[in-house]
Amino acid sequence: MEKRLPLIFVFLLVATFLFADPEDITFIRIRLWAPYDEVPSLNGSSTENQNYNDNEPLKHASDLLKETGAFAINAMVYGWNFSITPKDNARGVQEYAEITPQKEADVNTFDIKWSNTVFEQDRITCWLEFERTPIMMHSKSWWNTVSCPRIHGTGESVYTGKFDSLKAAFFDAAKNAVLEYVKKTEKNKPKEITGSLLLKTDTPGLRIDSGKYIADLDFFLHVDKIVRYSQW
């Protein structure tokens, strides 16, 4: 019996790690990519006049990776607030969405490590590694205590190779994820939905298709308020 106890103990430790929710693990590791330069035809410049530095050919990709990394970590650690008005043709209401990061810490604020860098034909891919602090984990525990549903959304934006375009695709995915969730839970279209989102700590699904960024993202959702129309 004494010889078997250590084996049982090891099994329990391994099982705890394997079946633990990845969201409750402090270590975050996600795969990111960035193009070497912008898309000239979409930025009002020719290839010759493009903002390209021969002395630093990787500068654009490096800067974009840092911006994307900080943006993703902020979304996974602090989350976003949102206010969304669904489109309602019957009432003549146009869709409106305002999504704002709860905090926008600079990339240098985080102890980010980059690894496994690969130089592909048109882009750089690498892994971002980050360890959440105890304070960050305490903040994350709130999302568990309020039993936030997990939602999925797909968004798009015109691909320019710039950060603003990438961010727009992420925000569009967030908006669509909320609207899809509300569509399943509300009988009628509401007037407004407000709340917050936390990006799940999975590698963000981001690709280019037909000249567009396509973002496939998963979130935790907390709805603060749903305002319904009182009458026609």
Side-chain angles (χ1 to χ4, degrees):
M1 184 66 178
E2 290 181 357
K3 293 181 179 180
R4 295 179 60 186
L5 282 176
L7 293 176
I8 295 174
F9 182 69
V10 170
F11 171 78
L12 290 174
L13 286 177
V14 172
T16 300
F17 178 78
L18 290 177
F19 294 103
D21 188 338
E23 298 296 331
D24 294 328
I25 297 174
T26 60
F27 186 68
I28 295 174
R29 189 172 189 263
I30 57 176
R31 186 173 181 267
L32 299 176
W33 63 268
Y36 291 115
D37 48 40
E38 300 173 13
V39 180
S41 61
L42 297 177
N43 288 286
S45 61
S46 65
T47 303
E48 291 77 12
N49 296 326
Q50 191 178 347
N51 184 19
Y52 185 84
N53 190 335
D54 289 331
N55 296 322
E56 297 183 83
L58 303 180
K59 186 178 188 308
H60 174 77
S62 176
D63 290 345
L64 183 54
L65 282 171
K66 289 178 181 178
E67 286 184 294
T68 305
F71 179 67
I73 292 298
N74 275 306
M76 293 174 180
V77 171
Y78 302 113
W80 303 333
N81 294 325
F82 67 83
S83 174
I84 299 173
T85 297
K87 182 178 181 180
D88 194 325
N89 292 328
R91 293 184 170 88
V93 176
Q94 296 298 312
E95 182 179 272
Y96 170 80
E98 182 179 5
I99 301 175
T100 55
Q102 292 192 12
K103 187 173 181 178
E104 293 185 277
D106 184 79
V107 67
N108 297 318
T109 303
F110 301 115
D111 184 18
I112 293 176
K113 294 181 176 61
W114 305 91
S115 64
N116 300 99
T117 303
V118 178
F119 299 93
E120 301 181 22
Q121 182 176 357
D122 61 344
R123 67 183 67 181
I124 295 176
T125 62
C126 63
W127 285 89
L128 177 155
E129 298 174 350
F130 174 73
E131 192 81 22
R132 286 184 283 197
T133 66
I135 293 178
M136 292 174 180
M137 289 303 296
H138 182 269
S139 175
K140 173 62 186 70
S141 67
W142 177 85
W143 291 85
N144 295 335
T145 58
V146 294
S147 301
C148 297
R150 303 184 184 194
I151 61 175
H152 175 83
T154 300
E156 63 180 44
S157 68
V158 175
Y159 172 67
T160 64
K162 300 176 70 175
F163 175 66
D164 286 346
S165 178
L166 181 147
K167 183 168 67 173
F170 273 54
F171 282 172
D172 192 48
K175 177 205 69 177
N176 292 334
V178 173
L179 290 176
E180 187 63 27
Y181 174 80
V182 172
K183 183 179 179 181
K184 296 176 181 178
T185 59
E186 293 290 308
K187 183 178 180 181
N188 300 310
K189 286 185 178 180
K191 184 177 182 180
E192 183 184 17
I193 314 114
T194 60
S196 52
L197 292 163
L198 190 73
L199 182 63
K200 287 182 84 280
T201 55
D202 302 318
T203 293
L206 184 68
R207 66 184 190 279
I208 303 170
D209 187 8
S210 302
K212 294 181 179 180
Y213 268 128
I214 306 295
D216 287 302
L217 305 174
D218 294 297
F219 303 91
F220 290 100
L221 169 67
H222 174 67
V223 176
D224 288 330
K225 182 171 60 175
I226 295 180
V227 180
R228 300 173 179 86
Y229 290 98
S230 57
Q231 60 183 15
W232 274 90

